[in-house]
Amino acid sequence: LAAVGVTRHKSKELSRKQSQQLELLESELRKEIRDGFAELQMDKLDVVDSFGTVPFLDYKHFALRTFFPESGGFTHIFTEDMHNRDANDKNESLTALDALICNKSFLVTVIHTLEKQKNFSVKDRCLFASFLTIALQTKLVYLTSILEVLTRDLMEQCSNMQPKLMLRRTESVVEKLLTNWMSVCLSGFLRETVGEPFYLLVTTLNQKINKGPVDVITCKALYTLNEDWLLWQVPDFSTVALNVVFEKIPENESADVCRNISVNVLDCDTIGQAKEKIFQAFLSKNGSPYGLQVNEIGLELQVGTRQKELLDIDSSSVILEDGITKLNTIGHYEISNGSTIKVFKKIANFTSGNQCNILPDSEAFQDVQGKRHRGKHKFKVKEMYLTKLLSTKPSSSLLGEHPEEPSVCL
């Protein structure tokens, strides 16, 4: 009887504790969902009016980046102004080659012959198509007729296979030619009509995404438009306002440049992510980018007369039991609101070299909360954060503010 009484008592205590835990869990879930809907209803889209000058490229650099996105070694060939060359430099061989290229039957036969060669790789086909586009960019009518013939031949080849997969990949000369042809024809339209709205769209989406954590390894974000890229296992985070001082460099000596900027970052941002936000803040403030690249600058925390360089990985980095190294964050260095951060140009790249040796071997991941205790995570479900997708969608609706441009759509 005593054993039965003790067992019943323990069973009741266990049931009571489980009920309390379930009630607490339900309360936390309700709170999270209510906060999400409250944010959805009350959050205003904070768009910076001065988002900087739209960085349009001139036609030459636009064409080079489109035709040769990965072949930087070929771009120097076209850096000279062809109009400054003497007409005598165009010898008889080039004249004969130009005559052959302008022969439609010859050009179509050459393209088909090259594509039948087994050693003619996809990269070679793309390069050949890009060079051919440059040679014929002043003869778009002729290039269009060539594309019509090649596209018809490609359709006949795919008629007995899988026509739905045609043009999905740039694996043939005609597919790359078609991409280049569309880029040439749309360059003026992009610059004069839809370039600024699209740039504003991307800038606004970046502002919204940067309001929440972004995993530096998987690139998943709390504020996103795609459920597959939703970062829902995220701890509490807070915003840290930094006073950033940019070091003067010869590449950017304009007197109108503001070098003291207030930048908002998150305590879970890595040092690399903080650099990107600082660069974006400089662009938004001054309308022009800083004269250096992200990997060419360093951050230095100034506390009185002391300075401490901020790195993604250093001697203070946390190494877990399984050998994984956590990337240093703003919270790791215990940086508070109003702290002064100096942006300086790196003299040597020895620090980045050390990081390269550590990161791949240790499979480093982002430390989202340095003071968080392991094993005490709150129970969370992905559906709790689906409202974040809805809160991000108003950013993409900015294009609706341009009704006079019906061609702009997602």
Side-chain angles (χ1 to χ4, degrees), residues 179-326:
T179 302
N180 295 342
W181 176 81
M182 293 183 64
S183 299
V184 171
C185 295
L186 289 175
S187 60
F189 176 74
L190 292 174
R191 186 181 184 92
E192 300 173 2
T193 307
V194 301
E196 184 173 342
F198 269 118
Y199 182 74
L200 178 60
L201 170 66
V202 174
T203 303
T204 308
L205 285 175
N206 285 333
Q207 291 176 5
K208 185 63 178 179
I209 292 173
N210 289 335
K211 286 185 177 181
V214 178
D215 192 287
V216 73
I217 302 300
T218 64
C219 296
K220 293 185 177 182
L222 179 62
Y223 296 102
T224 179
L225 294 173
N226 191 339
E227 182 180 352
D228 296 334
W229 292 92
L230 177 63
L231 181 66
W232 58 276
Q233 291 180 328
V234 58
D236 297 333
F237 61 92
S238 59
T239 303
V240 180
L242 303 178
N243 181 27
V244 181
V245 180
F246 286 83
E247 184 181 59
K248 190 174 182 180
I249 58 173
E251 293 86 349
N252 198 347
E253 293 184 349
S254 176
D256 298 333
V257 172
C258 180
R259 303 191 181 279
N260 294 339
I261 300 176
S262 178
V263 182
N264 291 330
V265 298
L266 303 178
D267 58 353
C268 59
D269 284 340
T270 63
I271 305 304
Q273 290 175 326
K275 289 181 181 179
E276 294 176 356
K277 291 184 177 181
I278 289 173
F279 265 45
Q280 184 61 41
F282 183 92
L283 175 61
S284 300
K285 183 70 175 179
N286 296 296
S288 60
Y290 193 54
L292 299 174
Q293 302 296 325
V294 175
N295 57 355
E296 297 176 340
I297 61 106
L299 301 182
E300 189 176 71
L301 175 63
Q302 296 182 342
V303 183
T305 58
R306 296 180 301 168
Q307 294 85 26
K308 180 177 179 59
E309 185 176 1
L310 306 180
L311 300 171
D312 280 326
I313 292 182
D314 57 13
S315 58
S316 66
S317 300
V318 178
I319 301 178
L320 303 180
E321 297 176 356
D322 49 6
I324 296 180
T325 303
K326 290 186 176 181

Side-chain angles (χ1 to χ4, degrees), residues 7 47 71-72 82 94 100 109 149 161 168 177 212 248 254 318 331:
T7 302
V47 183
S71 304
M82 301 301 294
L94 292 178
L100 289 175
T109 303
V149 176
M161 299 171 60
R168 284 196 176 186
L177 272 176
K248 190 174 182 180
S254 176
V318 178

